[in-house]
Amino acid sequence: EPGELGPRERTHFWIDPRYNQLECFHARFHDYHYSPHFHETYVFRHVERGVEHCRSRGKDFALSPGSLTIINPGDLHDGRPGEGGFEYRMFYPSVTLMQSACEDMSDGAAEMPWFSESYIEDPELEARIAQLHKLLQSGGDRLEADSMMLETLAMLIKRHSDSLIQQMPIGDETAQVQKVQDYIQSHLDQDISLDELAALVGMNRYRLIRSFRKELGLTPHAYLVNRRVQSAKEKLKSGDSLSGTA
């Protein structure tokens, strides 16, 4: 709604092309009111400061810090600031992105997830969503962003959607994990993606993360960070400069 933002409002909108043109929004509103509207995407809304009043699916909510709102595609909703305004972070994941996460979790075809509740309280999930949003806002390492995106969506779907996800058990996948370890070791200076590692061993992304955790107690990204630190220490001990090592 162009022209309606007052001088006290602050907004930052961007698109991350890595995740099916994922739209992201970070804003602080004191006066601005959203008129009723809907999206073709999902909306996950995390309030950081203040209070936002929202009406969704015929119910009124007062969203305070730590609260999380889930809006399905087509859900009519609005938004207005409480006294003193509010600050929040929003994701707009596409149906394709959400369905892809479901397919990774179930090792096969899956329907788009649906969320019956608009308002949830889940401190662990809320913290992860805020962390992921900040990571995308700053750019972030590709493998870290890939892993956090998939694990956050998986947590959200498993805990709060109406979807019944049947996960295949993890077997002995030591050889595949070792192959990924070797690949990471030889590509420490590159921006590796989770898709790249999964394709290397013929696994889907979520299964790869689960297999890595079972074998090593780490995600592929955590393993990459550890190997980079070790490599940096070895270079410094050999006399390399700080700038060259970095």
Side-chain angles (χ1 to χ4, degrees):
E1 300 176 10
E4 296 187 13
L5 292 179
R8 297 199 295 173
E9 323 296 5
R10 296 290 182 271
T11 63
H12 178 203
F13 174 84
W14 74 99
I15 293 176
D16 195 320
R18 298 174 295 183
Y19 306 110
N20 200 242
Q21 298 299 110
L22 176 66
E23 296 179 359
C24 304
F25 190 51
H26 179 203
R28 184 169 70 247
F29 289 138
H30 285 269
D31 307 303
Y32 183 71
H33 289 217
Y34 284 107
S35 58
H37 64 286
F38 64 88
H39 303 273
E40 295 182 351
T41 66
Y42 294 85
V43 181
F44 305 135
R45 174 167 46 194
H46 169 74
V47 175
E48 291 191 313
R49 297 180 182 84
V51 175
E52 179 194 13
H53 295 284
C54 170
R55 184 171 181 79
S56 177
R57 299 187 223 173
K59 296 182 180 179
D60 292 306
F61 302 97
L63 309 175
S64 56
S67 64
L68 180 65
T69 312
I70 300 175
I71 298 172
N72 296 297
D75 283 347
L76 192 67
H77 60 285
D78 63 12
R80 59 194 182 281
E83 185 176 355
F86 69 98
E87 181 175 355
Y88 70 163
R89 296 178 176 272
M90 306 229 309
F91 291 104
Y92 301 83
S94 68
V95 171
T96 300
L97 183 63
M98 294 294 291
Q99 191 165 358
S100 175
C102 282
E103 290 171 354
D104 270 327
M105 294 164 63
S106 60
D107 289 308
E111 297 180 354
M112 63 177 281
W114 191 261
F115 299 88
S116 297
E117 298 296 328
S118 298
Y119 175 88
I120 63 173
E121 293 185 3
D122 185 333
E124 182 183 9
L125 178 60
E126 291 158 13
R128 285 188 65 90
I129 284 180
Q131 184 181 3
L132 172 60
H133 198 280
K134 292 173 182 176
L135 176 64
L136 297 182
Q137 191 171 26
S138 65
D141 178 276
R142 177 64 189 266
L143 186 55
E144 181 180 15
D146 286 353
S147 303
M148 189 176 294
M149 173 67 71
L150 182 55
E151 290 198 287
T152 301
L153 294 182
M155 181 184 293
L156 178 69
I157 292 166
K158 283 193 294 185
R159 291 185 180 183
H160 301 289
S161 80
D162 297 344
S163 302
L164 296 177
I165 304 295
Q166 299 293 330
Q167 289 185 346
M168 296 292 289
I170 299 298
D172 182 5
E173 293 169 347
T174 305
Q176 291 94 324
V177 171
Q178 184 60 57
K179 188 174 182 179
V180 171
Q181 287 179 260
D182 294 342
Y183 185 85
I184 288 175
Q185 179 61 40
S186 60
H187 295 79
L188 292 180
D189 61 342
Q190 297 183 22
D191 194 19
I192 304 170
S193 72
L194 191 58
D195 283 337
E196 187 178 344
L197 297 181
L200 179 70
V201 291
M203 301 169 70
N204 74 45
R205 301 168 301 164
Y206 194 57
R207 188 177 185 86
L208 175 59
I209 292 174
R210 293 169 63 212
S211 298
F212 236 79
R213 275 217 173 92
K214 179 185 176 184
E215 292 291 329
L216 303 177
L218 298 170
T219 64
H221 175 257
Y223 179 78
L224 171 64
V225 171
N226 274 267
R227 294 307 304 148
R228 281 176 172 169
V229 170
Q230 186 60 39
S231 178
K233 290 169 66 176
E234 291 169 359
K235 288 178 179 295
L236 292 174
K237 287 178 181 178
S238 300
D240 286 13
S241 67
L242 287 171
S243 59
T245 298

